[in-house]
């Protein structure tokens, strides 16, 4: 897969916590983390406080990493869907993981705003869920994610 550094296809029947681990292990962007296990613990701890499901078959989980040079994002795609929480009972197909530095909140907000604007677009969501990486809008999204050039969706 051309986007292996930022995207992984999740195995069927996986739960959300195992999905977080799959994304961190399979996406090369997380190789910059000094301690991947500690990051995963932070993501899970945050998730247990409040679900990061946002609707539209999407969740954006996140954890803080002290001294991280830049906000990092990866995506796990579940074609069969993950039972994520009671707030949004529909299955989650797109699980984003963000790693950000607590002293760089503007980077985090920029990345989060960017992701929200892109996944709000049905064409992008459907293309990602179906793994249609050649669809122009999906290709543009994946290039943005890979290049860590976080910007909002524009037509």
């Amino acid at each position: 897969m051309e986007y292996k550094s930022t995207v992984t296809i999740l195995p069927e029947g996986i739960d959300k916590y195992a999905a977080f681990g799959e994304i961190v292990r399979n996406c090369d962007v997380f190789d910059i983390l000094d301690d991947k296990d500690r990051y995963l613990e932070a993501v899970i701890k945050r998730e247990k406080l409040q679900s990061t499901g946002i609707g539209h078959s999407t969740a954006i989980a996140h954890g803080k990493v002290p001294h991280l040079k830049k906000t990092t994002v990866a995506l796990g795609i579940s074609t069969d869907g993950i039972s994520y929480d009671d707030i949004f009972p529909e299955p989650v197909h797109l699980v984003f993981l963000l790693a950000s530095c607590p002293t760089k909140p503007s980077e985090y907000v920029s990345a989060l705003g960017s992701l929200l604007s892109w996944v709000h677009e049905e064409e992008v969501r459907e293309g990602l869920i179906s793994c249609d990486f050649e669809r122009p809008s999906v290709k543009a999204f994946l290039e943005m994610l890979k290049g860590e050039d976080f910007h909002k969706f524009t037509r």
Side-chain angles (χ1 to χ4, degrees), residues 107-124:
E107 281 187 17
Y108 167 77
V109 170
S110 176
L112 183 61
S114 174
L115 294 177
L116 289 170
S117 76
W118 283 87
V119 298
H120 182 73
E121 296 295 321
E122 187 174 358
E123 175 187 337
V124 175

Side-chain angles (χ1 to χ4, degrees), residues 40-51:
L40 275 173
E41 289 171 12
V43 171
I44 291 168
K45 182 179 179 181
R46 166 62 186 85
E47 185 67 33
K48 288 182 177 180
L49 287 174
Q50 184 177 12
S51 174

Side-chain angles (χ1 to χ4, degrees), residues 22-40:
E22 285 285 315
I23 296 165
V24 170
R25 279 188 297 281
N26 293 332
C27 293
D28 299 342
V29 295
F30 290 117
D31 288 349
I32 65 168
L33 301 179
D34 291 333
D35 190 341
K36 291 181 184 182
D37 291 333
R38 190 169 174 191
Y39 168 68
L40 275 173

Side-chain angles (χ1 to χ4, degrees), residues 66-131:
H67 313 294
L68 189 64
K69 292 188 186 326
K70 61 184 176 179
T71 296
T72 301
V73 181
L75 168 63
I77 300 172
S78 172
T79 54
D80 65 328
I82 297 169
S83 176
Y84 207 81
D85 61 37
D86 295 335
I87 299 168
F88 296 104
E90 71 181 48
V92 166
H93 294 275
L94 305 175
V95 180
F96 289 93
L97 278 188
L98 276 82
S100 64
C101 181
T103 61
K104 297 179 182 178
S106 62
E107 281 187 17
Y108 167 77
V109 170
S110 176
L112 183 61
S114 174
L115 294 177
L116 289 170
S117 76
W118 283 87
V119 298
H120 182 73
E121 296 295 321
E122 187 174 358
E123 175 187 337
V124 175
R125 278 194 321 276
E126 288 178 357
L128 287 169
I129 293 168
S130 65
C131 299

